[in-house]
Structures are given as C-alpha cells and as structure tokens.
Amino acid sequence: MTIAILDYGMGNLRSVGRALAHVGGDAEITGDRARVLEADALVVPGVGHFGACMRSLELLGLDTAVRAFAAGGRPIFGVCVGMQILFDRSEEGAERGLGVLPGVVRRLPSSVKVPHMGWNEVTWIRGHDYIDGIPDGERFYFVHSYAPEVDVLAVGASEHGQRFAAVVARSNVFVTQFHPEKSGDAGLHIYERFVKEVAAA
C-alpha cells in the first residue's frame, strides 16, 4: 500500500507525510508522474496561490496525472489549495482548475479578516466514513482566503463572514479546506480513516 503525496513545489509535504506515517500510512513524496500513477492513493496538498499551483502542475505534467488518478477510482485526498485546484475554477486567478469537482472557489468576504487563519468549528452536513466518530462542531485549523461554496457535495461547513464548504466528497475524492495535519486528534482521525480505506482496497 503506497500513498503518493504530490510534490509540485506548492505543498506542506513533510508535515502531511509525518501525519500519515503516524497513523500507519506508507507515504511517499513524489513529483514523478509514473510513481503517482502507480500509487494506491494520492494526497494533493497545496499552499499559496491557486494560479501558481495550476501553472506548476501543468509545467510538471502532473495535471493530467491527477485527473487520470481521480478517474481511475482510487482514493484521492485534497488539502487546502490542493482542495481548491480540484474544482473547475477559482476567483483567485484566470487559470482553470482540474475540474475533478464541479464548482467555483470564491473569495471570503472583505467584512472579516482575510486570510482566515486559526481554529474554527465544522458542522457536518452529511455522513462520510472518514469523519465517522468526530462530533459535530469539532474545531479544525484553517489558513485560507478562498473557499468552495456549500452545495450537494459538501460534507461539512464552516463560517467566516459567510458559510463555506470545509469538507467536500464525491465517490473516491475527499477534500478538506482545513489542514488535518495541523488539527490535532480530529485531523489525525480523518487521515487514519483514509489510510484504513486504502489498506482495505
């Protein structure tokens, strides 16, 4: 069982790797397209600007690898900007997203401090195996200025000036706007459930 952590120069790779290893995952940080496509699961981290992330992915030829991986049915986990680039597009830039998930990532309102940084509650909208056992209103750690809208794919929502999707899932794709690796026991619980699904596949 190998979990590829996508290295495209834009992620908090080491801390994600440590968190996955802590819960029993065999994680490999790689920017090699072939290694990504051979993995049993994929984590797409991301820090920074949406457009810069997309340009880096395309330059390395990893955009098509992520799309192919998602289409193949194996588990894929997106974190923060790694979540956002899986959507169709973002208000942060003109670049198109990967289109793995439908929708637009929108800027948080100027009526509140942006970026939204720190701990915030997440309210569950619907169930998912990865969040099973985590109470409603659990707090997770966020650092972001943009977020997806709440729609039928939303698993959990949070609020900062407006309500936004904190967790989204469809089929084999699961994404969080918060950083599980910085969110204490609750974040590790989500990674542990992800690792167990990969191991059982």
mmCIF file of all heavy atoms in Angstrom, residues 8 10-12 16 43-50 53 77-87 90 92 101 105 115-117 141-148 164-167 174-182 191:
data_model
loop_
_atom_site.group_PDB
_atom_site.id
_atom_site.type_symbol
_atom_site.label_atom_id
_atom_site.label_comp_id
_atom_site.label_asym_id
_atom_site.label_seq_id
_atom_site.Cartn_x
_atom_site.Cartn_y
_atom_site.Cartn_z
ATOM 1 N N TYR A 8 4.634 19.184 -6.157
ATOM 2 C CA TYR A 8 4.695 20.075 -7.312
ATOM 3 C C TYR A 8 5.186 21.457 -6.882
ATOM 4 O O TYR A 8 4.929 22.461 -7.526
ATOM 5 C CB TYR A 8 3.340 20.142 -8.041
ATOM 6 C CG TYR A 8 2.166 20.610 -7.217
ATOM 7 C CD1 TYR A 8 1.608 21.865 -7.431
ATOM 8 C CD2 TYR A 8 1.596 19.798 -6.241
ATOM 9 C CE1 TYR A 8 0.527 22.305 -6.690
ATOM 10 C CE2 TYR A 8 0.512 20.233 -5.493
ATOM 11 C CZ TYR A 8 -0.015 21.475 -5.721
ATOM 12 O OH TYR A 8 -1.096 21.909 -4.992
ATOM 13 N N MET A 10 4.420 23.168 -4.158
ATOM 14 C CA MET A 10 3.457 24.109 -3.577
ATOM 15 C C MET A 10 2.796 23.581 -2.307
ATOM 16 O O MET A 10 1.754 24.067 -1.912
ATOM 17 C CB MET A 10 2.348 24.411 -4.614
ATOM 18 C CG MET A 10 2.837 24.935 -5.938
ATOM 19 S SD MET A 10 3.694 26.511 -5.856
ATOM 20 C CE MET A 10 2.363 27.607 -5.390
ATOM 21 N N GLY A 11 3.378 22.581 -1.662
ATOM 22 C CA GLY A 11 2.665 21.972 -0.551
ATOM 23 C C GLY A 11 3.468 21.869 0.727
ATOM 24 O O GLY A 11 4.693 21.972 0.734
ATOM 25 N N ASN A 12 2.744 21.634 1.804
ATOM 26 C CA ASN A 12 3.335 21.408 3.116
ATOM 27 C C ASN A 12 3.592 19.894 3.239
ATOM 28 O O ASN A 12 2.931 19.195 4.012
ATOM 29 C CB ASN A 12 2.356 21.907 4.184
ATOM 30 C CG ASN A 12 2.996 22.009 5.541
ATOM 31 O OD1 ASN A 12 4.215 21.943 5.663
ATOM 32 N ND2 ASN A 12 2.182 22.151 6.566
ATOM 33 N N VAL A 16 2.469 16.652 6.193
ATOM 34 C CA VAL A 16 1.456 15.696 5.732
ATOM 35 C C VAL A 16 2.018 14.282 5.806
ATOM 36 O O VAL A 16 1.350 13.356 6.291
ATOM 37 C CB VAL A 16 0.990 16.023 4.304
ATOM 38 C CG1 VAL A 16 0.069 14.922 3.769
ATOM 39 C CG2 VAL A 16 0.284 17.369 4.256
ATOM 40 N N VAL A 43 -2.479 11.992 -2.209
ATOM 41 C CA VAL A 43 -2.790 13.197 -1.438
ATOM 42 C C VAL A 43 -2.277 14.398 -2.234
ATOM 43 O O VAL A 43 -1.114 14.429 -2.652
ATOM 44 C CB VAL A 43 -2.139 13.175 -0.044
ATOM 45 C CG1 VAL A 43 -2.404 14.493 0.683
ATOM 46 C CG2 VAL A 43 -2.671 12.007 0.778
ATOM 47 N N VAL A 44 -3.141 15.373 -2.449
ATOM 48 C CA VAL A 44 -2.780 16.602 -3.157
ATOM 49 C C VAL A 44 -2.781 17.741 -2.142
ATOM 50 O O VAL A 44 -3.833 18.279 -1.802
ATOM 51 C CB VAL A 44 -3.763 16.915 -4.298
ATOM 52 C CG1 VAL A 44 -3.311 18.156 -5.072
ATOM 53 C CG2 VAL A 44 -3.894 15.717 -5.238
ATOM 54 N N PRO A 45 -1.606 18.100 -1.614
ATOM 55 C CA PRO A 45 -1.539 19.243 -0.698
ATOM 56 C C PRO A 45 -1.460 20.532 -1.512
ATOM 57 O O PRO A 45 -1.428 20.501 -2.752
ATOM 58 C CB PRO A 45 -0.242 18.987 0.074
ATOM 59 C CG PRO A 45 0.615 18.237 -0.897
ATOM 60 C CD PRO A 45 -0.302 17.492 -1.834
ATOM 61 N N GLY A 46 -1.410 21.655 -0.828
ATOM 62 C CA GLY A 46 -1.267 22.911 -1.554
ATOM 63 C C GLY A 46 -1.190 24.087 -0.617
ATOM 64 O O GLY A 46 -1.959 24.174 0.344
ATOM 65 N N VAL A 47 -0.264 24.974 -0.889
ATOM 66 C CA VAL A 47 -0.115 26.208 -0.127
ATOM 67 C C VAL A 47 0.161 27.329 -1.124
ATOM 68 O O VAL A 47 0.969 27.155 -2.037
ATOM 69 C CB VAL A 47 1.047 26.109 0.887
ATOM 70 C CG1 VAL A 47 1.282 27.439 1.571
ATOM 71 C CG2 VAL A 47 0.760 25.030 1.928
ATOM 72 N N GLY A 48 -0.515 28.463 -0.966
ATOM 73 C CA GLY A 48 -0.209 29.592 -1.836
ATOM 74 C C GLY A 48 -1.339 29.961 -2.778
ATOM 75 O O GLY A 48 -2.514 29.805 -2.462
ATOM 76 N N HIS A 49 -0.962 30.420 -3.960
ATOM 77 C CA HIS A 49 -1.879 30.993 -4.934
ATOM 78 C C HIS A 49 -2.416 29.917 -5.874
ATOM 79 O O HIS A 49 -1.660 29.090 -6.390
ATOM 80 C CB HIS A 49 -1.130 32.075 -5.736
ATOM 81 C CG HIS A 49 -1.990 32.880 -6.643
ATOM 82 N ND1 HIS A 49 -2.332 32.456 -7.913
ATOM 83 C CD2 HIS A 49 -2.566 34.101 -6.483
ATOM 84 C CE1 HIS A 49 -3.076 33.374 -8.497
ATOM 85 N NE2 HIS A 49 -3.239 34.375 -7.650
ATOM 86 N N PHE A 50 -3.726 29.933 -6.105
ATOM 87 C CA PHE A 50 -4.384 28.963 -6.987
ATOM 88 C C PHE A 50 -3.713 28.913 -8.355
ATOM 89 O O PHE A 50 -3.379 27.840 -8.862
ATOM 90 C CB PHE A 50 -5.858 29.344 -7.131
ATOM 91 C CG PHE A 50 -6.675 28.426 -7.999
ATOM 92 C CD1 PHE A 50 -7.440 27.423 -7.436
ATOM 93 C CD2 PHE A 50 -6.716 28.589 -9.380
ATOM 94 C CE1 PHE A 50 -8.213 26.585 -8.226
ATOM 95 C CE2 PHE A 50 -7.476 27.765 -10.185
ATOM 96 C CZ PHE A 50 -8.230 26.748 -9.602
ATOM 97 N N CYS A 53 -0.261 27.358 -8.338
ATOM 98 C CA CYS A 53 -0.359 25.899 -8.181
ATOM 99 C C CYS A 53 -0.701 25.227 -9.506
ATOM 100 O O CYS A 53 -0.092 24.219 -9.872
ATOM 101 C CB CYS A 53 -1.417 25.557 -7.136
ATOM 102 S SG CYS A 53 -0.918 25.892 -5.436
ATOM 103 N N PHE A 77 -7.118 12.533 -1.894
ATOM 104 C CA PHE A 77 -7.388 13.409 -0.755
ATOM 105 C C PHE A 77 -6.731 14.756 -1.032
ATOM 106 O O PHE A 77 -5.518 14.851 -1.159
ATOM 107 C CB PHE A 77 -6.785 12.770 0.500
ATOM 108 C CG PHE A 77 -7.245 13.325 1.821
ATOM 109 C CD1 PHE A 77 -7.696 12.469 2.810
ATOM 110 C CD2 PHE A 77 -7.208 14.687 2.098
ATOM 111 C CE1 PHE A 77 -8.110 12.949 4.051
ATOM 112 C CE2 PHE A 77 -7.616 15.185 3.322
ATOM 113 C CZ PHE A 77 -8.079 14.304 4.305
ATOM 114 N N GLY A 78 -7.530 15.819 -1.120
ATOM 115 C CA GLY A 78 -7.006 17.159 -1.363
ATOM 116 C C GLY A 78 -7.057 17.998 -0.106
ATOM 117 O O GLY A 78 -8.015 17.909 0.675
ATOM 118 N N VAL A 79 -6.022 18.827 0.112
ATOM 119 C CA VAL A 79 -5.921 19.636 1.333
ATOM 120 C C VAL A 79 -5.667 21.106 0.976
ATOM 121 O O VAL A 79 -4.735 21.414 0.223
ATOM 122 C CB VAL A 79 -4.777 19.131 2.239
ATOM 123 C CG1 VAL A 79 -4.648 20.008 3.478
ATOM 124 C CG2 VAL A 79 -4.992 17.676 2.632
ATOM 125 N N CYS A 80 -6.476 22.002 1.528
ATOM 126 C CA CYS A 80 -6.323 23.455 1.398
ATOM 127 C C CYS A 80 -6.336 23.874 -0.088
ATOM 128 O O CYS A 80 -7.311 23.618 -0.773
ATOM 129 C CB CYS A 80 -5.076 23.937 2.132
ATOM 130 S SG CYS A 80 -5.072 25.732 2.442
ATOM 131 N N VAL A 81 -5.276 24.474 -0.598
ATOM 132 C CA VAL A 81 -5.276 24.835 -2.018
ATOM 133 C C VAL A 81 -5.275 23.568 -2.881
ATOM 134 O O VAL A 81 -5.774 23.571 -4.006
ATOM 135 C CB VAL A 81 -4.083 25.751 -2.363
ATOM 136 C CG1 VAL A 81 -4.107 26.136 -3.835
ATOM 137 C CG2 VAL A 81 -4.125 27.014 -1.520
ATOM 138 N N GLY A 82 -4.773 22.474 -2.331
ATOM 139 C CA GLY A 82 -4.869 21.183 -3.014
ATOM 140 C C GLY A 82 -6.299 20.720 -3.163
ATOM 141 O O GLY A 82 -6.627 19.931 -4.048
ATOM 142 N N MET A 83 -7.167 21.211 -2.304
ATOM 143 C CA MET A 83 -8.609 21.009 -2.467
ATOM 144 C C MET A 83 -9.128 21.901 -3.592
ATOM 145 O O MET A 83 -9.837 21.454 -4.494
ATOM 146 C CB MET A 83 -9.336 21.356 -1.158
ATOM 147 C CG MET A 83 -10.852 21.437 -1.245
ATOM 148 S SD MET A 83 -11.558 22.418 0.105
ATOM 149 C CE MET A 83 -13.186 21.697 0.275
ATOM 150 N N GLN A 84 -8.758 23.184 -3.518
ATOM 151 C CA GLN A 84 -9.333 24.175 -4.427
ATOM 152 C C GLN A 84 -9.012 23.890 -5.890
ATOM 153 O O GLN A 84 -9.857 24.081 -6.764
ATOM 154 C CB GLN A 84 -8.839 25.565 -4.032
ATOM 155 C CG GLN A 84 -9.307 26.000 -2.651
ATOM 156 C CD GLN A 84 -8.718 27.335 -2.225
ATOM 157 O OE1 GLN A 84 -8.119 28.051 -3.015
ATOM 158 N NE2 GLN A 84 -8.886 27.680 -0.948
ATOM 159 N N ILE A 85 -7.794 23.418 -6.177
ATOM 160 C CA ILE A 85 -7.416 23.195 -7.578
ATOM 161 C C ILE A 85 -8.163 22.014 -8.200
ATOM 162 O O ILE A 85 -8.166 21.872 -9.427
ATOM 163 C CB ILE A 85 -5.890 22.993 -7.747
ATOM 164 C CG1 ILE A 85 -5.403 21.789 -6.944
ATOM 165 C CG2 ILE A 85 -5.142 24.266 -7.397
ATOM 166 C CD1 ILE A 85 -3.932 21.456 -7.163
ATOM 167 N N LEU A 86 -8.823 21.203 -7.378
ATOM 168 C CA LEU A 86 -9.613 20.106 -7.932
ATOM 169 C C LEU A 86 -10.958 20.581 -8.480
ATOM 170 O O LEU A 86 -11.627 19.851 -9.197
ATOM 171 C CB LEU A 86 -9.830 19.016 -6.876
ATOM 172 C CG LEU A 86 -8.566 18.256 -6.456
ATOM 173 C CD1 LEU A 86 -8.857 17.356 -5.276
ATOM 174 C CD2 LEU A 86 -8.005 17.440 -7.615
ATOM 175 N N PHE A 87 -11.332 21.824 -8.163
ATOM 176 C CA PHE A 87 -12.581 22.385 -8.676
ATOM 177 C C PHE A 87 -12.376 22.968 -10.091
ATOM 178 O O PHE A 87 -11.259 23.013 -10.604
ATOM 179 C CB PHE A 87 -13.091 23.462 -7.716
ATOM 180 C CG PHE A 87 -13.754 22.890 -6.484
ATOM 181 C CD1 PHE A 87 -12.987 22.510 -5.397
ATOM 182 C CD2 PHE A 87 -15.130 22.715 -6.426
ATOM 183 C CE1 PHE A 87 -13.581 21.963 -4.264
ATOM 184 C CE2 PHE A 87 -15.736 22.174 -5.305
ATOM 185 C CZ PHE A 87 -14.964 21.793 -4.223
ATOM 186 N N SER A 90 -11.319 29.165 -9.823
ATOM 187 C CA SER A 90 -11.289 29.970 -8.608
ATOM 188 C C SER A 90 -11.302 31.441 -8.966
ATOM 189 O O SER A 90 -10.761 31.847 -10.002
ATOM 190 C CB SER A 90 -10.024 29.649 -7.796
ATOM 191 O OG SER A 90 -9.858 30.563 -6.729
ATOM 192 N N GLU A 92 -9.518 33.430 -7.571
ATOM 193 C CA GLU A 92 -8.163 33.904 -7.292
ATOM 194 C C GLU A 92 -7.337 34.106 -8.557
ATOM 195 O O GLU A 92 -6.347 34.834 -8.548
ATOM 196 C CB GLU A 92 -7.450 32.932 -6.353
ATOM 197 C CG GLU A 92 -6.131 33.470 -5.817
ATOM 198 C CD GLU A 92 -5.528 32.603 -4.737
ATOM 199 O OE1 GLU A 92 -5.933 31.442 -4.593
ATOM 200 O OE2 GLU A 92 -4.635 33.103 -4.027
ATOM 201 N N LEU A 101 -13.847 18.176 -9.441
ATOM 202 C CA LEU A 101 -15.068 18.500 -8.719
ATOM 203 C C LEU A 101 -15.722 19.714 -9.376
ATOM 204 O O LEU A 101 -15.015 20.631 -9.802
ATOM 205 C CB LEU A 101 -14.763 18.820 -7.251
ATOM 206 C CG LEU A 101 -14.216 17.662 -6.400
ATOM 207 C CD1 LEU A 101 -13.707 18.186 -5.062
ATOM 208 C CD2 LEU A 101 -15.273 16.590 -6.191
ATOM 209 N N VAL A 105 -14.443 28.238 -6.620
ATOM 210 C CA VAL A 105 -13.888 28.622 -5.321
ATOM 211 C C VAL A 105 -13.934 30.149 -5.244
ATOM 212 O O VAL A 105 -13.416 30.830 -6.125
ATOM 213 C CB VAL A 105 -12.441 28.105 -5.176
ATOM 214 C CG1 VAL A 105 -11.840 28.557 -3.854
ATOM 215 C CG2 VAL A 105 -12.402 26.589 -5.301
ATOM 216 N N PRO A 115 -6.392 36.623 5.337
ATOM 217 C CA PRO A 115 -6.873 35.245 5.355
ATOM 218 C C PRO A 115 -7.515 34.830 6.675
ATOM 219 O O PRO A 115 -7.220 35.389 7.726
ATOM 220 C CB PRO A 115 -5.598 34.437 5.100
ATOM 221 C CG PRO A 115 -4.488 35.289 5.603
ATOM 222 C CD PRO A 115 -4.908 36.694 5.304
ATOM 223 N N HIS A 116 -8.403 33.871 6.545
ATOM 224 C CA HIS A 116 -8.995 33.197 7.698
ATOM 225 C C HIS A 116 -7.931 32.257 8.241
ATOM 226 O O HIS A 116 -7.546 31.301 7.577
ATOM 227 C CB HIS A 116 -10.233 32.423 7.219
ATOM 228 C CG HIS A 116 -10.823 31.509 8.239
ATOM 229 N ND1 HIS A 116 -11.376 30.296 7.893
ATOM 230 C CD2 HIS A 116 -10.964 31.620 9.572
ATOM 231 C CE1 HIS A 116 -11.839 29.702 8.977
ATOM 232 N NE2 HIS A 116 -11.601 30.481 10.013
ATOM 233 N N MET A 117 -7.437 32.552 9.425
ATOM 234 C CA MET A 117 -6.311 31.789 9.968
ATOM 235 C C MET A 117 -6.604 31.399 11.410
ATOM 236 O O MET A 117 -6.866 32.265 12.245
ATOM 237 C CB MET A 117 -5.030 32.618 9.896
ATOM 238 C CG MET A 117 -3.772 31.879 10.326
ATOM 239 S SD MET A 117 -2.288 32.924 10.191
ATOM 240 C CE MET A 117 -2.278 33.285 8.433
ATOM 241 N N TYR A 141 -8.035 23.395 11.944
ATOM 242 C CA TYR A 141 -7.147 24.538 11.712
ATOM 243 C C TYR A 141 -7.173 24.963 10.239
ATOM 244 O O TYR A 141 -6.873 24.162 9.349
ATOM 245 C CB TYR A 141 -5.715 24.202 12.119
ATOM 246 C CG TYR A 141 -4.817 25.418 12.122
ATOM 247 C CD1 TYR A 141 -4.802 26.292 13.209
ATOM 248 C CD2 TYR A 141 -4.007 25.702 11.024
ATOM 249 C CE1 TYR A 141 -4.000 27.423 13.201
ATOM 250 C CE2 TYR A 141 -3.200 26.824 11.012
ATOM 251 C CZ TYR A 141 -3.204 27.677 12.101
ATOM 252 O OH TYR A 141 -2.418 28.795 12.092
ATOM 253 N N PHE A 142 -7.487 26.233 10.013
ATOM 254 C CA PHE A 142 -7.632 26.794 8.665
ATOM 255 C C PHE A 142 -6.573 27.870 8.404
ATOM 256 O O PHE A 142 -6.196 28.623 9.302
ATOM 257 C CB PHE A 142 -8.999 27.464 8.507
ATOM 258 C CG PHE A 142 -10.183 26.541 8.521
ATOM 259 C CD1 PHE A 142 -10.746 26.124 9.727
ATOM 260 C CD2 PHE A 142 -10.754 26.112 7.330
ATOM 261 C CE1 PHE A 142 -11.857 25.294 9.745
ATOM 262 C CE2 PHE A 142 -11.861 25.276 7.341
ATOM 263 C CZ PHE A 142 -12.413 24.869 8.553
ATOM 264 N N VAL A 143 -6.138 27.961 7.145
ATOM 265 C CA VAL A 143 -5.347 29.096 6.652
ATOM 266 C C VAL A 143 -5.741 29.283 5.189
ATOM 267 O O VAL A 143 -5.261 28.561 4.312
ATOM 268 C CB VAL A 143 -3.820 28.851 6.740
ATOM 269 C CG1 VAL A 143 -3.073 30.109 6.280
ATOM 270 C CG2 VAL A 143 -3.389 28.485 8.143
ATOM 271 N N HIS A 144 -6.622 30.250 4.898
ATOM 272 C CA HIS A 144 -7.083 30.414 3.510
ATOM 273 C C HIS A 144 -7.807 31.742 3.332
ATOM 274 O O HIS A 144 -8.308 32.329 4.299
ATOM 275 C CB HIS A 144 -8.009 29.256 3.105
ATOM 276 C CG HIS A 144 -9.301 29.216 3.885
ATOM 277 N ND1 HIS A 144 -10.527 29.393 3.292
ATOM 278 C CD2 HIS A 144 -9.541 29.044 5.207
ATOM 279 C CE1 HIS A 144 -11.473 29.310 4.218
ATOM 280 N NE2 HIS A 144 -10.903 29.106 5.388
ATOM 281 N N SER A 145 -7.868 32.170 2.081
ATOM 282 C CA SER A 145 -8.595 33.388 1.722
ATOM 283 C C SER A 145 -9.753 33.096 0.773
ATOM 284 O O SER A 145 -10.596 33.970 0.537
ATOM 285 C CB SER A 145 -7.645 34.392 1.045
ATOM 286 O OG SER A 145 -6.589 34.745 1.915
ATOM 287 N N TYR A 146 -9.768 31.891 0.232
ATOM 288 C CA TYR A 146 -10.801 31.456 -0.717
ATOM 289 C C TYR A 146 -11.358 30.118 -0.240
ATOM 290 O O TYR A 146 -10.672 29.388 0.490
ATOM 291 C CB TYR A 146 -10.224 31.302 -2.132
ATOM 292 C CG TYR A 146 -9.734 32.599 -2.726
ATOM 293 C CD1 TYR A 146 -8.512 33.148 -2.342
ATOM 294 C CD2 TYR A 146 -10.500 33.286 -3.659
ATOM 295 C CE1 TYR A 146 -8.067 34.345 -2.870
ATOM 296 C CE2 TYR A 146 -10.067 34.492 -4.197
ATOM 297 C CZ TYR A 146 -8.846 35.016 -3.803
ATOM 298 O OH TYR A 146 -8.410 36.204 -4.320
ATOM 299 N N ALA A 147 -12.563 29.806 -0.670
ATOM 300 C CA ALA A 147 -13.170 28.543 -0.253
ATOM 301 C C ALA A 147 -14.282 28.152 -1.216
ATOM 302 O O ALA A 147 -14.906 29.025 -1.842
ATOM 303 C CB ALA A 147 -13.728 28.651 1.159
ATOM 304 N N PRO A 148 -14.567 26.853 -1.332
ATOM 305 C CA PRO A 148 -15.679 26.412 -2.173
ATOM 306 C C PRO A 148 -17.023 26.769 -1.542
ATOM 307 O O PRO A 148 -17.143 26.940 -0.325
ATOM 308 C CB PRO A 148 -15.505 24.888 -2.239
ATOM 309 C CG PRO A 148 -14.152 24.609 -1.683
ATOM 310 C CD PRO A 148 -13.833 25.724 -0.756
ATOM 311 N N PHE A 164 -19.113 28.418 4.189
ATOM 312 C CA PHE A 164 -18.366 27.828 3.072
ATOM 313 C C PHE A 164 -18.178 26.336 3.325
ATOM 314 O O PHE A 164 -18.321 25.853 4.459
ATOM 315 C CB PHE A 164 -17.014 28.527 2.890
ATOM 316 C CG PHE A 164 -16.068 28.383 4.061
ATOM 317 C CD1 PHE A 164 -15.218 27.281 4.163
ATOM 318 C CD2 PHE A 164 -16.006 29.345 5.064
ATOM 319 C CE1 PHE A 164 -14.347 27.139 5.240
ATOM 320 C CE2 PHE A 164 -15.144 29.214 6.140
ATOM 321 C CZ PHE A 164 -14.311 28.105 6.233
ATOM 322 N N ALA A 165 -17.851 25.621 2.274
ATOM 323 C CA ALA A 165 -17.630 24.179 2.377
ATOM 324 C C ALA A 165 -16.245 23.918 2.960
ATOM 325 O O ALA A 165 -15.238 24.323 2.391
ATOM 326 C CB ALA A 165 -17.774 23.519 1.011
ATOM 327 N N ALA A 166 -16.211 23.240 4.104
ATOM 328 C CA ALA A 166 -14.946 22.885 4.737
ATOM 329 C C ALA A 166 -14.499 21.481 4.352
ATOM 330 O O ALA A 166 -13.304 21.175 4.377
ATOM 331 C CB ALA A 166 -15.079 22.981 6.253
ATOM 332 N N VAL A 167 -15.469 20.638 3.997
ATOM 333 C CA VAL A 167 -15.193 19.263 3.547
ATOM 334 C C VAL A 167 -16.144 18.950 2.403
ATOM 335 O O VAL A 167 -17.345 19.221 2.489
ATOM 336 C CB VAL A 167 -15.412 18.234 4.678
ATOM 337 C CG1 VAL A 167 -15.067 16.826 4.195
ATOM 338 C CG2 VAL A 167 -14.603 18.576 5.917
ATOM 339 N N PHE A 174 -12.029 13.001 -1.725
ATOM 340 C CA PHE A 174 -12.352 13.612 -0.428
ATOM 341 C C PHE A 174 -11.398 14.783 -0.225
ATOM 342 O O PHE A 174 -10.179 14.613 -0.357
ATOM 343 C CB PHE A 174 -12.175 12.583 0.693
ATOM 344 C CG PHE A 174 -12.545 13.086 2.066
ATOM 345 C CD1 PHE A 174 -13.826 12.910 2.574
ATOM 346 C CD2 PHE A 174 -11.598 13.712 2.869
ATOM 347 C CE1 PHE A 174 -14.166 13.358 3.840
ATOM 348 C CE2 PHE A 174 -11.918 14.167 4.133
ATOM 349 C CZ PHE A 174 -13.209 13.984 4.630
ATOM 350 N N VAL A 175 -11.932 15.960 0.094
ATOM 351 C CA VAL A 175 -11.086 17.152 0.205
ATOM 352 C C VAL A 175 -11.477 17.984 1.412
ATOM 353 O O VAL A 175 -12.645 18.042 1.799
ATOM 354 C CB VAL A 175 -11.163 18.015 -1.082
ATOM 355 C CG1 VAL A 175 -10.565 17.276 -2.274
ATOM 356 C CG2 VAL A 175 -12.598 18.429 -1.398
ATOM 357 N N THR A 176 -10.476 18.633 2.011
ATOM 358 C CA THR A 176 -10.721 19.497 3.166
ATOM 359 C C THR A 176 -10.093 20.868 2.948
ATOM 360 O O THR A 176 -8.978 20.974 2.445
ATOM 361 C CB THR A 176 -10.135 18.892 4.456
ATOM 362 O OG1 THR A 176 -8.708 18.819 4.362
ATOM 363 C CG2 THR A 176 -10.695 17.507 4.720
ATOM 364 N N GLN A 177 -10.828 21.913 3.337
ATOM 365 C CA GLN A 177 -10.266 23.255 3.275
ATOM 366 C C GLN A 177 -9.299 23.486 4.439
ATOM 367 O O GLN A 177 -8.339 24.226 4.323
ATOM 368 C CB GLN A 177 -11.385 24.302 3.297
ATOM 369 C CG GLN A 177 -10.929 25.728 3.158
ATOM 370 C CD GLN A 177 -10.126 25.960 1.900
ATOM 371 O OE1 GLN A 177 -10.668 25.918 0.800
ATOM 372 N NE2 GLN A 177 -8.822 26.179 2.027
ATOM 373 N N PHE A 178 -9.541 22.828 5.553
ATOM 374 C CA PHE A 178 -8.628 22.916 6.699
ATOM 375 C C PHE A 178 -7.447 21.960 6.509
ATOM 376 O O PHE A 178 -7.429 21.121 5.602
ATOM 377 C CB PHE A 178 -9.367 22.609 8.003
ATOM 378 C CG PHE A 178 -10.107 21.303 8.026
ATOM 379 C CD1 PHE A 178 -9.451 20.098 8.243
ATOM 380 C CD2 PHE A 178 -11.483 21.270 7.842
ATOM 381 C CE1 PHE A 178 -10.125 18.889 8.266
ATOM 382 C CE2 PHE A 178 -12.184 20.070 7.873
ATOM 383 C CZ PHE A 178 -11.494 18.875 8.090
ATOM 384 N N HIS A 179 -6.463 22.090 7.381
ATOM 385 C CA HIS A 179 -5.283 21.227 7.353
ATOM 386 C C HIS A 179 -5.440 20.122 8.404
ATOM 387 O O HIS A 179 -5.260 20.382 9.601
ATOM 388 C CB HIS A 179 -4.015 22.038 7.671
ATOM 389 C CG HIS A 179 -3.580 22.944 6.582
ATOM 390 N ND1 HIS A 179 -2.686 22.556 5.605
ATOM 391 C CD2 HIS A 179 -3.910 24.223 6.305
ATOM 392 C CE1 HIS A 179 -2.485 23.559 4.772
ATOM 393 N NE2 HIS A 179 -3.214 24.576 5.171
ATOM 394 N N PRO A 180 -5.746 18.886 8.014
ATOM 395 C CA PRO A 180 -5.855 17.804 9.004
ATOM 396 C C PRO A 180 -4.565 17.606 9.799
ATOM 397 O O PRO A 180 -4.606 17.312 10.997
ATOM 398 C CB PRO A 180 -6.173 16.569 8.151
ATOM 399 C CG PRO A 180 -6.806 17.113 6.921
ATOM 400 C CD PRO A 180 -6.106 18.415 6.668
ATOM 401 N N GLU A 181 -3.417 17.785 9.135
ATOM 402 C CA GLU A 181 -2.125 17.551 9.795
ATOM 403 C C GLU A 181 -1.814 18.593 10.868
ATOM 404 O O GLU A 181 -0.894 18.407 11.665
ATOM 405 C CB GLU A 181 -1.000 17.498 8.766
ATOM 406 C CG GLU A 181 -0.662 18.793 8.072
ATOM 407 C CD GLU A 181 -1.601 19.166 6.944
ATOM 408 O OE1 GLU A 181 -2.561 18.400 6.662
ATOM 409 O OE2 GLU A 181 -1.386 20.223 6.329
ATOM 410 N N LYS A 182 -2.586 19.685 10.899
ATOM 411 C CA LYS A 182 -2.408 20.725 11.925
ATOM 412 C C LYS A 182 -3.592 20.782 12.881
ATOM 413 O O LYS A 182 -3.696 21.716 13.680
ATOM 414 C CB LYS A 182 -2.233 22.095 11.253
ATOM 415 C CG LYS A 182 -0.982 22.219 10.391
ATOM 416 C CD LYS A 182 -0.886 23.608 9.778
ATOM 417 C CE LYS A 182 0.368 23.751 8.931
ATOM 418 N NZ LYS A 182 0.467 25.100 8.324
ATOM 419 N N TYR A 191 -7.196 11.301 8.697
ATOM 420 C CA TYR A 191 -6.118 10.644 7.956
ATOM 421 C C TYR A 191 -6.091 9.139 8.240
ATOM 422 O O TYR A 191 -5.835 8.330 7.342
ATOM 423 C CB TYR A 191 -4.771 11.262 8.323
ATOM 424 C CG TYR A 191 -4.411 12.502 7.543
ATOM 425 C CD1 TYR A 191 -3.644 13.511 8.131
ATOM 426 C CD2 TYR A 191 -4.794 12.668 6.214
ATOM 427 C CE1 TYR A 191 -3.292 14.655 7.416
ATOM 428 C CE2 TYR A 191 -4.448 13.810 5.508
ATOM 429 C CZ TYR A 191 -3.697 14.797 6.114
ATOM 430 O OH TYR A 191 -3.348 15.919 5.399
#
